[in-house]
Amino acid sequence: MNTEITIIRPDDWHLHLRDGKMLAAVLPYTAKIYGRAIVMPNLMPPITSVNEAEEYRRRIIAARPEGSNFEPLMTCYLTDATDPEDIRAACAVKAFHAVKLFPAGATTNSDNGVTSIKNVYPVLEVMQELGIPLSVHGEVVDPEVDIFDREAVFIEKVLIPLRKDFPELKIIFEHLTCKKAVDYVLDQDEFTVATITPHHLVLTRNDLFKGGMNPYMYCLPVAKTFEDRKALREAATSGNEKFFLGTDSAPHACKNKEKEGAFAGIFNAPTSIGYVTQVFERCGELPRLEGFTSIFGARFYGLSPNGSTITLTKRDEPVSMNWLFKAGEDEVKIFNPDTPLYWELVD
Ligand code: NCD
Ligand code: ZN
């Protein structure tokens, strides 16, 4: 029985770091585990230009703990008004590792997102030509569509037609949550890949309502059924390089989680790698962990794996930590679902 595993240092291919005091409070948790991260651009206001991305990158670097080599990989927030020539210029200086599509109104801080995919076709044309990936929040926003079907409907309504029009556009289908999405990605060629989060490997929609309504299990896309979770676990542990880790760690102040209209987003950075390791162990696939966390994503983004390693150990008793911490005046809660966690990083 494995009780310890050493893997190439992982990367986080989908991360929300926020800014200011929140950034300062959450970054050390990520920097301790991950070598690099794709940093989501949904600040208020969003990161839409090379200058904004460069300034944000500098703030992240400045917030790193002493001695940390953590490397933020910047992204651009796509809007109806994004100028294709700006993306071309940004590519020339390698300012962005991806351009993020948030359908307007689909999730937290997505008000400036794209209102119709056709509006950004000229930008996608340039992206396809230059090989810069489109990172996709794959949910429709139609209020008539059941919230648990929004990812599946997005595939039919947006992704399939988009793929027809842009056969060689690199697409990362972010934070998959349903079996239909897994099957879709499996069906595609090498231009379509996907990230999977720790929480979607652990939760089902039952967790949202277990023992009463639980906003700390609420993120978008929302967790789905047991069958969907099984498909995600199979995809993640399959050794198929189309699937890799993106934590979607998304901190919010407790006051914004515990209110009417609670914000979507789960802050999982501290427990993320432990839960992923635990899922791989329970599926009997620990030897495939490293590919999912540390190799496949780097390969897709054209980068080498990190040059260092981390070690995780399995404890006899569940992992415990201070689940609440301060970010300036605010408190933030760490992802601590009903499933006890046994794996943790060895310092
Ligand atoms: C994210 C956030 O809070 O920024 N929320 C979430 O529920 N995942 C945005 C996102 O990735 O959808
Ligand atoms: Zn996200």
Side-chain angles (χ1 to χ4, degrees):
M1 195 182 74
N2 271 73
T3 55
E4 198 167 282
I5 183 168
T6 297
I7 54 171
I8 296 171
R9 184 174 291 283
D11 298 303
D12 185 348
W13 299 105
H14 182 130
L15 175 66
H16 301 269
L17 281 174
R18 316 303 190 203
D19 214 340
K21 288 178 178 163
M22 186 65 93
L23 166 64
V26 301
L27 181 60
Y29 291 107
T30 288
K32 196 170 160 189
I33 305 168
Y34 300 95
R36 298 163 290 201
I38 286 282
V39 179
M40 287 293 143
N42 61 330
L43 301 185
M44 299 270 266
I47 301 295
T48 56
S49 72
V50 172
N51 279 349
E52 286 161 358
E54 180 49 24
E55 280 165 23
Y56 185 31
R57 197 183 70 84
R58 286 212 196 100
R59 295 197 294 280
I60 297 168
I61 299 278
R64 287 188 312 200
E66 193 86 11
S68 168
N69 294 319
F70 171 78
E71 196 187 336
L73 308 174
M74 309 315 290
T75 60
C76 175
Y77 188 115
L78 189 57
T79 75
D80 286 347
T82 303
D83 183 337
E85 289 316 308
D86 287 350
I87 296 297
R88 190 182 292 282
C91 280
V93 295
K94 297 190 166 43
F96 304 129
H97 290 264
V99 175
K100 179 69 191 269
L101 167 66
F102 290 105
T107 186
T108 310
N109 300 351
S110 63
D111 293 353
N112 296 292
V114 173
T115 58
S116 162
I117 192 74
K118 294 265 175 188
N119 293 344
V120 294
Y121 264 33
V123 179
L124 301 181
E125 204 69 70
V126 168
M127 289 173 61
Q128 175 171 258
E129 178 196 329
L130 300 176
I132 179 166
L134 181 70
S135 161
V136 175
H137 184 110
E139 286 192 289
V140 293
V141 295
D142 181 351
E144 298 293 308
V145 174
D146 190 294
I147 189 158
F148 294 104
D149 296 334
R150 286 183 186 178
E151 188 172 271
V153 172
F154 183 88
I155 297 169
E156 296 302 320
K157 291 257 166 77
V158 184
L159 222 39
I160 291 175
L162 177 68
R163 186 40 96 203
K164 264 205 198 106
D165 292 337
F166 297 95
E168 297 197 351
L169 177 65
K170 289 184 180 168
I171 292 178
I172 309 129
F173 196 163
E174 300 287 353
H175 38 53
L176 295 194
T177 63
C178 71
K179 180 173 187 312
K180 282 200 176 130
V182 168
D183 290 343
Y184 171 79
V185 173
L186 282 171
D187 227 37
Q188 303 300 300
D189 61 21
E190 72 275 17
F191 291 106
T192 305
V193 297
T195 56
I196 299 178
T197 76
H199 46 281
H200 290 113
L201 290 172
V202 172
L203 303 177
T204 68
R205 61 194 188 184
N206 281 14
D207 291 282
L208 277 156
F209 307 106
K210 211 180 264 177
M213 202 188 275
N214 190 349
Y216 291 98
M217 302 299 127
Y218 172 55
C219 66
L220 287 169
V222 74
K224 305 222 162 44
T225 66
F226 289 96
E227 196 197 353
D228 292 313
R229 185 180 64 180
K230 180 165 174 280
L232 294 172
R233 287 178 175 175
E234 283 170 5
T237 62
S238 66
N240 185 330
E241 65 183 272
K242 284 173 154 304
F243 302 100
F244 46 83
L245 175 63
T247 67
D248 195 19
S249 185
H252 290 289
C254 292
K255 65 172 193 248
N256 290 326
K257 292 294 283 179
E258 298 175 23
K259 65 168 193 179
E260 216 172 65
F263 288 13
I266 289 177
F267 178 64
N268 66 16
T271 50
S272 56
I273 196 68
Y275 272 114
V276 172
T277 306
Q278 183 160 303
V279 167
F280 274 71
E281 185 213 5
R282 295 205 173 154
C283 293
E285 298 291 2
L286 266 184
R288 288 183 170 161
L289 176 67
E290 188 179 60
F292 179 73
T293 60
S294 318
I295 298 174
F296 302 153
R299 193 175 288 165
F300 175 79
Y301 278 96
L303 301 167
S304 302
N306 291 307
S308 58
T309 60
I310 62 164
T311 298
L312 293 131
T313 187
K314 187 180 180 184
R315 299 160 46 115
D316 295 332
E317 297 298 319
V319 171
S320 184
M321 61 181 80
N322 290 328
W323 300 108
L324 267 181
F325 66 94
K326 282 264 185 198
E329 295 306 297
D330 291 323
E331 288 196 303
V332 180
K333 220 177 228 184
I334 295 169
F335 180 54
N336 177 27
D338 215 20
T339 310
L341 172 65
Y342 290 92
W343 285 86
E344 69 178 357
L345 195 70
V346 179
D347 276 328

